[in-house]
């Protein structure tokens, strides 16, 4: 039972970290939407002591308005994908804790779905972000190139898939020992 307690502590930690990731991803997505809207409404033209956001971006940071728009659009897409992924992870951990064990058929099924989503969502969001960035690059001036990041989501997804098989095997063993 000591191992089960350790597993449940790790599941609680996973649930907490998933909630935190979800909240920060939603904040990032909302911040991107607010940034896009404020830029569209002319926030970059506002003057504060004779200095505009536009002049600060161009002279101090060397960033164009087009790059800001493209960056916020890409951030919106990536943060939304991460929020969805964090929500599914949180849901898995909540159910695993409610079941009292990761070795049940429903938990193994959710873990398999989480593994598939962990592989697919980052690939999909980076592809969509690349397309949106390309469109913005052709419609706005001075957009910096898009550099997609590499993440360990593929390996993590494979690990979730393997763990789902182990949890399913554990559920089968539990069922066998209860009927025997």
């Amino acid at each position: 039972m000591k191992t089960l307690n350790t597993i449940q502590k790790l599941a609680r930690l996973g649930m907490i970290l998933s909630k935190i990731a979800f909240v920060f991803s939603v904040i990032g997505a909302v911040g991107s939407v607010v940034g896009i809207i404020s830029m569209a409404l002319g926030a970059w033209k506002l003057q504060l002591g004779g200095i505009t956001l536009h002049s600060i971006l161009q002279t101090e940071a060397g960033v164009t308005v087009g790059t800001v728009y493209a960056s916020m659009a890409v951030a919106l897409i990536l943060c939304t994908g991460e929020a969805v992924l964090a929500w599914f992870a949180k849901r898995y951990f909540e159910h695993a804790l409610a079941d009292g064990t990761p070795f049940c058929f429903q938990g193994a099924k959710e873990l398999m779905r989480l593994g598939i989503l962990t592989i697919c969502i980052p690939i999909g969001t980076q592809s969509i972000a690349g397309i949106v960035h390309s469109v913005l690059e052709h419609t706005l001036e001075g957009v910096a190139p898009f550099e997609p990041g590499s993440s360990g989501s593929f390996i993590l997804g494979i690990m979730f898939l393997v763990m789902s098989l182990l949890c399913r095997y554990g559920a089968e063993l539990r069922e066998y020992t209860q009927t025997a």
Side-chain angles (χ1 to χ4, degrees), residues 147-167:
E147 297 175 19
S150 62
S151 68
S153 65
F154 185 79
I155 293 170
L156 184 61
I158 297 296
M159 290 170 48
F160 282 147
L161 291 174
V162 170
M163 288 302 299
S164 74
L165 295 174
L166 292 173
C167 289

Side-chain angles (χ1 to χ4, degrees), residues 1-12 100-103 163:
M1 288 308 208
K2 185 178 178 183
T3 305
L4 181 59
N5 288 334
T6 303
I7 290 172
Q8 288 183 328
K9 286 178 186 177
L10 290 173
R12 277 189 211 95
T101 180
F103 303 112
M163 288 302 299

Side-chain angles (χ1 to χ4, degrees), residues 16-180:
I16 291 167
L17 292 175
S18 298
K19 285 180 181 180
I20 291 169
F22 177 78
V23 168
F24 281 126
S25 296
V26 169
I27 290 170
V30 169
S32 296
V33 169
V34 168
I36 291 169
I37 291 171
S38 67
M39 292 290 284
L41 293 176
W44 58 278
K45 293 180 183 178
L46 292 176
Q47 285 192 353
L48 206 65
I51 299 172
T52 64
L53 179 61
H54 181 42
S55 67
I56 292 172
L57 287 174
Q58 283 196 322
T59 58
E60 298 297 323
V63 176
T64 65
V65 174
T67 298
V68 173
Y69 273 119
S71 297
M72 286 189 281
V74 166
L76 172 62
I77 294 164
L78 297 177
C79 286
T80 302
E82 290 301 318
V84 170
L85 196 54
W87 184 81
F88 276 102
K90 178 188 74 74
R91 187 172 157 191
Y92 164 73
F93 288 120
E94 287 173 345
H95 290 160
L97 287 168
D99 292 339
T101 180
F103 303 112
C104 61
F105 291 108
Q106 186 61 30
K109 183 178 176 182
E110 282 187 39
L111 193 55
M112 182 170 281
R113 178 177 46 213
L114 182 59
I116 293 167
L117 291 174
T118 302
I119 294 169
C120 295
I121 287 176
I123 292 170
T125 56
Q126 286 203 5
S127 299
I128 293 168
I131 293 168
V132 168
H133 184 274
S134 181
V135 168
L136 291 174
E137 196 171 32
H138 291 297
T139 57
L140 300 173
E141 288 183 33
V143 176
F146 177 61
E147 297 175 19
S150 62
S151 68
S153 65
F154 185 79
I155 293 170
L156 184 61
I158 297 296
M159 290 170 48
F160 282 147
L161 291 174
V162 170
M163 288 302 299
S164 74
L165 295 174
L166 292 173
C167 289
R168 181 171 177 82
Y169 179 68
E172 290 171 357
L173 283 178
R174 274 186 61 207
E175 186 177 84
Y176 176 75
T177 57
Q178 288 175 351
T179 58

